[in-house]
Amino acid sequence: MTMAGESVRDVIHELWALCDVLRDDGVTAQDYLTELTYLLFLKMLSEQGQEEILPADFRWKSLVEQRPDNALAHYEHALSVLSAHTDIEVAAVFANARTAVRSNAALMRLISAIQSLSWYASDVERIGDIYEGLLEKVATDRKSGAGQYFTPRPLVDCLVAVTRPRAGEVIQDPAAGTGGFLIAAKRALDSQTGTAADASFTGSELVPETFRLLLMNFLLHDMRADGLISADTLGASGASLPRADLVLSNPPFGVSKGGRKPGRDDLVLTGDSRNKQLAFIEHIGRSLKPGGRAAVIVPDNVLFAGGVARRVRTWLLDDFDLHTILRLPSGIFYAQGIRTSVLFFNRTPGSTTTNTWFYDLRAGLPAFGRSRPLRADDFADFIAKFGSEADGSGVRVDTGEAESRFRKVSREELDRRNDTLDFVWLTQPDASEDELDEPSDILDAVREHIQRASAAVEALGARIDTATAD
């Protein structure tokens, strides 16, 4: 296997085929990716002439030249030594490192596969793309269970395309995962200006294993990783993230484990809430610089739930310009019961929301998932209608046609609707519910319908009360 003459997709296929072989040794897809991360890091330092920071006995060459009958023992010792290294990046990559490989033969196959990759300066981006491709493979692998909240690449690219990262900006993802949004932003800047060196990429990731993958993804894309922290954004460390010009994020959904509340005094709206998505929205709003903008993926219940969710919605409408909401297709996160939307908002001191534009990319569309994944073309019409300005202020047209997917709703109308943002006007059914077969997914769908109905009743009651008062 060599880089020359092979496409990125070919190499991904070959490396993934090796993962399938290693399954017989009990190595899971996630274990495999972690193992590749260790080996790719050592290979990278070797090819870039930077391995003098490592002990001589634990450099890439020592693995390649190790006796086959001693390879695993030597590798285990190397991981133990490197996990205690004084270099920050080395220590982060090898933090609590353990190998899942169980045989000398399996390890030598991995080392041979990595050794066959050419690594020249001109190939850095290509090898980064290979790693990203493997991350996607793991996320979409049903056995790994890692794809529930994986953000599909076409959606990432869509959000980057309409928010238009600019040279010199601070770009943040407070729930960075493996870095998909930040790397896509860097790629967009490179295509516009030829260099993303003037931009600052910052982010936080709570899960240590995921942070390891995030760090490696940055290094393989030739990006500075000093803006990344391994921490809980909703804890004290999250407040230390620098203020941002642009936030792109797909925060975790649901209730914090153990019912834990955010540990930050500055999250005054959501400090009593255990719902992570609401606390992340507040963090994002407060982390924006004046003039900053955000695109955030949220579960649909943020749009219509009462209590703290209502308080957060009103805050966004009153203190920000919540200019666009994109209703996403169901099933795109490899869990059919999850419905999501994207909130686009700007922090413009002294201004408030005048109109909110809704784009429905869900009604009447087929169920998405493994058999029908998202494609870039699926977002082409939304990108065109979003307009030419990153803050949503470009020319937009509401044709008024009943079947149009793009509609404008005034702030006054949203106020009459009790600040409910679950604005639906297309009548075609959501085909994805026909695909539900897991009892938990069916129950979640029923709960969501009940919550929507309850929110609609409350909104109707508010409108009647207002009309009666008038």
Side-chain angles (χ1 to χ4, degrees):
M1 175 174 56
T2 60
M3 290 292 288
E6 287 191 281
S7 69
V8 167
R9 183 174 298 179
D10 291 336
V11 179
I12 292 171
H13 176 76
E14 292 183 45
L15 286 173
W16 189 250
L18 183 55
C19 172
D20 287 336
V21 171
L22 291 177
R23 286 184 198 274
D24 294 337
D25 271 0
V27 179
T28 67
Q30 289 173 296
D31 289 336
Y32 174 66
L33 186 56
T34 299
E35 218 73 60
L36 280 180
T37 299
Y38 301 148
L39 297 172
L40 281 169
F41 185 77
L42 296 175
K43 172 71 168 173
M44 179 184 72
L45 292 183
S46 173
E47 293 286 348
Q48 295 183 344
Q50 299 176 6
E51 61 181 348
E52 67 277 358
I53 65 173
L54 304 178
D57 290 342
F58 305 115
R59 298 174 184 176
W60 178 251
K61 185 178 180 180
S62 73
L63 294 178
V64 173
E65 296 181 349
Q66 197 62 218
R67 293 196 332 266
D69 63 340
N70 190 54
L72 187 56
H74 177 77
Y75 179 55
E76 289 173 336
H77 185 35
L79 294 181
S80 176
V81 171
L82 296 175
S83 67
H85 201 280
T86 56
D87 182 86
I88 295 176
E89 285 186 352
V90 174
V93 170
F94 293 99
N96 301 310
R98 299 287 187 276
T99 181
V101 178
R102 300 178 183 178
S103 69
N104 286 304
L107 177 61
M108 292 308 293
R109 290 192 68 171
L110 273 176
I111 291 172
S112 177
I114 301 302
Q115 175 68 355
S116 68
L117 293 176
S118 301
W119 204 304
Y120 306 103
S122 60
D123 285 333
V124 168
E125 186 68 24
R126 200 169 176 220
I127 293 177
D129 288 343
I130 290 171
Y131 191 74
E132 263 198 288
L134 289 169
L135 289 172
E136 183 173 359
K137 282 282 192 181
V138 171
T140 56
D141 179 65
R142 287 189 182 275
K143 296 178 183 178
S144 77
Q148 186 175 12
Y149 301 121
F150 173 75
T151 311
R153 176 72 175 271
L155 174 55
V156 170
D157 289 342
C158 167
L159 302 192
V160 170
V162 297
T163 56
R164 292 173 168 81
R166 304 176 184 123
E169 289 191 321
V170 176
I171 303 171
Q172 181 195 128
D173 184 349
T178 57
F181 277 113
L182 299 174
I183 288 167
K186 185 258 189 184
R187 187 181 292 115
L189 282 168
D190 281 339
S191 68
Q192 296 166 14
T193 65
T195 176
D198 292 336
S200 175
F201 301 96
T202 66
S204 177
E205 172 53 42
L206 173 62
V207 181
E209 282 298 314
T210 306
F211 183 77
R212 189 197 319 274
L213 304 181
L214 166 64
L215 179 60
M216 193 66 205
N217 210 9
F218 260 52
L219 296 175
L220 291 178
H221 283 88
D222 198 27
M223 296 172 66
R224 291 174 58 90
D226 52 3
L228 304 177
I229 60 173
S230 178
D232 180 4
T233 298
L234 303 183
S237 297
S240 69
L241 287 170
R243 301 284 290 278
D245 299 285
L246 171 61
V247 177
L248 299 160
S249 193
N250 180 12
F253 307 159
V255 177
S256 297
K257 290 183 179 179
R260 182 173 53 84
K261 299 178 181 179
R264 285 174 50 181
D265 295 337
D266 61 323
L267 300 183
V268 296
L269 296 174
T270 59
D272 291 331
S273 174
R274 295 173 175 85
N275 281 53
K276 291 180 287 188
Q277 61 265 23
L278 299 178
F280 268 98
I281 293 171
E282 184 174 6
H283 161 82
I284 290 167
R286 298 194 185 283
S287 70
L288 287 176
K289 295 179 181 179
R293 61 206 186 281
V296 186
I297 299 171
V298 299
D300 269 12
N301 59 32
V302 168
L303 306 181
F304 53 78
V308 177
R310 160 75 190 276
R311 198 156 66 224
V312 170
R313 290 196 303 272
T314 300
W315 177 63
L316 288 178
L317 289 166
D318 288 347
D319 292 4
F320 297 81
D321 178 15
L322 178 58
H323 57 83
T324 309
I325 296 177
L326 169 63
R327 285 167 55 85
L328 292 171
S330 300
I332 64 174
F333 292 106
Y334 306 98
Q336 290 290 342
I338 297 176
R339 291 179 175 80
T340 55
S341 297
V342 185
L343 306 181
F344 296 86
F345 55 92
N346 310 320
R347 184 186 179 207
T348 307
S351 69
T352 186
T353 303
T354 302
N355 299 297
T356 299
W357 291 76
F358 291 79
Y359 191 101
D360 192 327
L361 194 59
R362 184 184 306 166
L365 294 179
F368 287 79
R370 290 176 62 86
S371 60
R372 173 44 173 106
L374 278 180
R375 297 188 287 257
D377 288 350
D378 294 321
F379 294 97
D381 185 62
F382 170 71
I383 292 173
K385 286 185 168 58
F386 187 94
S388 60
E389 299 300 323
D391 61 0
S393 62
V395 176
R396 295 175 166 186
V397 177
D398 182 351
T399 64
E401 297 175 0
E403 298 307 309
S404 171
R405 291 191 179 272
F406 201 40
R407 297 289 297 273
K408 180 175 69 173
V409 181
S410 69
R411 176 68 180 94
E412 291 76 14
E413 173 62 19
L414 293 176
D415 181 64
R416 288 193 292 270
R417 296 170 60 88
N418 212 25
D419 287 348
T420 296
L421 300 175
D422 189 36
F423 183 71
V424 180
W425 66 98
L426 296 178
T427 58
Q428 299 99 317
D430 178 359
S432 68
E433 287 196 356
D434 297 335
E435 305 294 322
L436 297 180
D437 50 20
E438 292 291 331
S440 60
D441 290 340
I442 295 172
L443 181 59
D444 285 343
V446 171
R447 284 195 183 113
E448 184 174 297
H449 283 299
I450 293 173
Q451 288 177 332
R452 286 180 189 275
S454 177
V457 169
E458 287 186 15
L460 179 59
R463 297 179 74 171
I464 292 174
D465 290 344
T466 299
T468 302
D470 292 344

